[in-house]
Amino acid sequence: MAQAFPHGAAIARSSTPVKPVAISSANGLRAVTRAMELMREGADALDAVIAGVNIVEDDPNDTTVGYGGLPNEDGVVELDAAVMHGPTHRAGAVASLRNIKNPSRVARTVMERTDHVLLVGEGALRFARAHGFKEEDLLTDKARQAWLTWKENLSTSDDWLPPHKPDDKDIGRNLDPAVLDAFGEYFRHTGTIHCSGLDLQGNMSCVTTTSGLAFKIPGRVGDSPIIGAGLYVDNAVGSAGSTGRGEANLANCSCRMIVEAMRTGKSPEQACLDIVQSIVDHTKLRCLLDDNGRPRFDVAFYAMNVRGEFGGARIYSGGVFSVHDGTEARHHPSAYLYKKP
Ligand code: GLY
């Protein structure tokens, strides 16, 4: 086991610059590239990681984050985000925020312009308005089509029907495999982007931002804006973040646990794997388990310690995360518990 980080110890910041590192979820190659550019110019890690994820929040083609994110069951996009700043150990977050495409920037404003940590719903929107954030419709045509397909295939007991011929049977049933194949990319996913950075000064910060579970019940909030679950940083130890099924993470306070495991000397990858195992062990709800008793969902973690060592893990094989540690942005394989069925 690597050397532990003493609890509460102030890290001796190097007088010579530290080698910056940025890690992110698989959809964060552009985020780590931008974060690295800024950190190389001397930016604080928080400025760098927020600028990185803003690229993905602005991208209509990423249907898991910001503008173009998949909406709730009423067809309204609701965003969650949180930021945490290592050097000051301050945090800010927003949940169920409508009409503002960069919730990570609103979360940062909560951190900097209030003494609160989390604002939700209408209050978060009014706060964003007061700070000059522009309101816009976040629902793209692509996301609206995906929502409509989901709604039309939801149940036979409602009046929403997909295109059909008069004698078609089984229209409007719960999504069958053929429909899932056609729309699997969109099916109830919990994409999200997380980004953690270690800057030239040896300081760490992180951000997580998401449109949350596709077609969720309005007001549903996942792990992303919850400090200790969707992200956590201790500037003396390391930083962690998550994507995937937020409910599983919320019930396990995973990112704080990962940082505490790194504090004892566990590698970032092992710390992530341990929490993945813990989530699997704690998942008891039958409808969430397959015939082998394994989760029907996935959840992914990303972690980096203050030495710039990084790792990631998830329940099932085949996942990658994004990293930039000096040369170029690249995907790195995630550790996993089970081979994907
Ligand atoms: N991890 C994102 C969510 O569950 O909302």
Side-chain angles (χ1 to χ4, degrees), residues 247-258:
E247 282 74 7
N249 182 5
L250 280 169
N252 289 276
C253 301
S254 309
C255 287
R256 175 73 199 250
M257 294 292 286
I258 290 169

Side-chain angles (χ1 to χ4, degrees), residues 80 189-192 208 210-213 216 220-225 242-247 249 299:
D80 303 333
H189 69 175
T190 46
T192 310
T208 303
T210 189
S211 49
L213 178 67
K216 60 196 172 188
R220 177 267 186 189
V221 174
D223 56 332
S224 303
S242 75
T243 62
R245 184 179 159 76
E247 282 74 7
N249 182 5
V299 59

Side-chain angles (χ1 to χ4, degrees), residues 15 53 92 121 183 222 228 248 260 269 336 341:
S15 51
V53 300
F183 292 94
E260 292 312 314
E269 182 176 284
Y336 57 89

